[in-house]
Amino acid sequence: GGFIGSLGKISLEKGRLTQVKIVDVYDIDGQIDDRKIKITQPKFLSDNLKTDYLHVRDANYSPSFPESAERIKNLYTQVTDETVDGVIALDLSTIEGLLKITGPVFLPTFNETINENNIFERAQFHSEAAYFPGSAQKKTFLSILGQQLIDNVFSLDKKKYLDLIKEVKKLLGQKHILVYIPEEQAIVSQLNWDGRILNSTNDYLNVVDTNVGSNKSNYFVERSLDYRLERNSREGEYLSELRISYKHNGTSDAWPGGPYKNFLRVFVPKKTALLKVISSENGSSEEGSDITGKTEIGEDLGKTFFATTFTVETGKSTTLVFTYVLPAGTIPLPENRYNLTVQKQLGTRNDGFKLKFKLPFGALLNPMPENFKLFGDTIEWDGDLSEDRSFDIPLKQ
């Protein structure tokens, strides 16, 4: 769901890389404006970005990457009349990971050495701080860096090949690299490298942030999730409480920081019933503001979603608490197991995640799930969402 800043067209022939061409996304989007290509966009983009129709830079809004990739591919082709075979998404973590393997890259044109620790700051400097209308500096910087990084990868010492393979595999597993190649999509999907929304037979959770503040402030924001649930009725309904906490660690409102304006979507099982949404600065669900009336409820991608827009000021914290009832049958009766699929948001790092499951009356664990701890009648898992998580809790009466 990240903002697209640059596009690179890569050409291969018989497995050999023959061309790498980096373009600023505004070069493409400017042609969309000039040619008046009008593609309808979601209302939340129109309301927050004050644009009338879709641009490539904002086309990555779907939580399902194959949907976004197809949209990006079609827009690119409309503008350039060039067909492409697929779309691969890379984020900052990918560049940092490659630099960790290749070592620093020296760019003589800029008399700078780029490494995994300064890539964000230097890329932002050349993209924004030193930018002026008509400037090719951003495109030049990324083109030179991209080409040099590719050269360094292909000229790696053979002793580092295994490290490179491990790093790329990790980046794919953690959804920092996403792959959409329609002719090969069955294989890509089987490997879970395509960032699609996963099917789930029982409980499901996917929390998706979209920065609509026209800055890069989410780089400075920590997010953590706390999900707890317990049996709510004899019919098998479960009461769920999801606490999403944001801490803005920025120290200035200057670019690329500033207030974090976020359009939040929470995807849950279809036909889930929302009861209440509370927003507070201290994490209390009793002392916060009730924003249930400002929360949209809808269906998309085979799930129900709850959506709302809010702002976290620089140096502040905000917690949103969603209380909802899972539909009867989400956890089959007679209860023999609880299953939860939690998808990490594409491109995020290591969001904290806690799961607290209160055992139904009379239920016993059979056996204790791995990495859980028992506290009275509640079992807890405490970890992160560096990758998708699947939880399976076997029960017996």
Side-chain angles (χ1 to χ4, degrees), residues 230-290:
E230 62 180 276
R231 177 81 172 271
N232 191 47
S233 72
R234 292 183 178 180
E235 289 72 34
E237 291 182 337
Y238 270 74
L239 182 68
S240 297
E241 180 185 273
L242 172 66
R243 306 173 74 90
I244 312 172
S245 299
Y246 298 86
K247 182 181 180 183
H248 195 321
N249 295 313
T251 57
S252 169
D253 283 345
W255 180 271
Y260 179 48
K261 187 177 182 182
N262 181 33
F263 177 70
L264 167 68
R265 285 168 286 177
V266 177
F267 288 82
V268 293
K270 200 170 183 178
K271 298 184 179 179
T272 294
L274 181 65
L275 300 181
K276 183 172 60 175
V277 185
I278 299 295
S279 174
S280 67
E281 290 190 2
N282 59 11
S284 170
S285 58
E286 289 76 30
E287 300 176 11
S289 303
D290 190 330

Side-chain angles (χ1 to χ4, degrees), residues 1 4 59-73 87:
I4 298 170
N60 191 26
Y61 62 78
S62 176
S64 174
F65 181 68
E67 287 205 3
S68 291
E70 186 64 26
R71 191 178 299 113
I72 293 163
K73 184 165 74 78
V87 180

Side-chain angles (χ1 to χ4, degrees), residues 17-68:
L17 190 64
T18 58
Q19 181 191 40
V20 178
K21 178 185 177 183
I22 307 292
V23 297
D24 189 330
V25 73
Y26 288 100
D27 291 349
I28 304 295
D29 284 347
Q31 295 180 60
I32 289 177
D33 294 332
D34 293 341
R35 297 169 63 173
K36 295 182 170 53
I37 299 173
K38 298 184 178 181
I39 305 295
T40 303
Q41 65 183 4
K43 186 174 183 296
F44 81 88
L45 289 178
S46 300
D47 290 347
N48 290 289
L49 302 180
K50 308 305 179 186
T51 52
D52 296 323
Y53 45 88
L54 189 65
H55 293 80
V56 174
R57 61 181 180 266
D58 303 316
N60 191 26
Y61 62 78
S62 176
S64 174
F65 181 68
E67 287 205 3
S68 291

Side-chain angles (χ1 to χ4, degrees), residues 7 16 44 48 58 89 94 103 113 125 130 138 174 180 185 208 216 248 281 288 290-291 308 339 368:
L7 303 172
R16 294 179 63 86
F44 81 88
N48 290 289
D58 303 316
T94 301
T113 298
F125 174 81
K138 172 185 175 183
Q174 295 184 352
Y180 175 72
Q185 206 57 27
V208 180
K216 305 291 185 182
H248 195 321
E281 290 190 2
D290 190 330
I291 60 170
T308 191
N339 182 270
M368 170 71 80

Side-chain angles (χ1 to χ4, degrees), residues 307-367:
T308 191
T309 302
F310 64 96
T311 299
V312 185
E313 299 295 337
T314 303
K316 302 291 185 179
S317 298
T318 296
T319 296
L320 274 66
V321 183
F322 292 78
T323 304
Y324 53 89
V325 177
L326 296 173
T330 302
I331 303 173
L333 292 176
E335 291 156 337
N336 55 12
R337 65 181 53 248
Y338 166 69
N339 182 270
L340 168 67
T341 298
V342 185
Q343 284 198 254
K344 69 161 291 184
Q345 179 176 353
L346 309 177
T348 55
R349 297 190 189 243
N350 301 328
D351 291 341
F353 180 75
K354 292 182 181 179
L355 170 62
K356 300 177 182 179
F357 179 78
K358 185 175 181 180
L359 299 174
F361 179 76
L364 301 173
L365 292 169
N366 182 30

Side-chain angles (χ1 to χ4, degrees), residues 87-127:
V87 180
I88 297 175
L90 311 175
D91 66 5
L92 177 66
S93 294
T94 301
I95 307 305
E96 291 173 343
L98 293 177
L99 285 168
K100 184 168 63 177
I101 302 301
T102 66
V105 173
F106 179 68
L107 306 180
T109 303
F110 297 94
N111 194 31
E112 290 184 12
T113 298
I114 305 300
N115 58 48
E116 60 183 293
N117 298 313
N118 71 0
I119 175 63
F120 174 76
E121 186 272 328
R122 299 317 298 163
Q124 290 306 315
F125 174 81
H126 291 292
S127 298

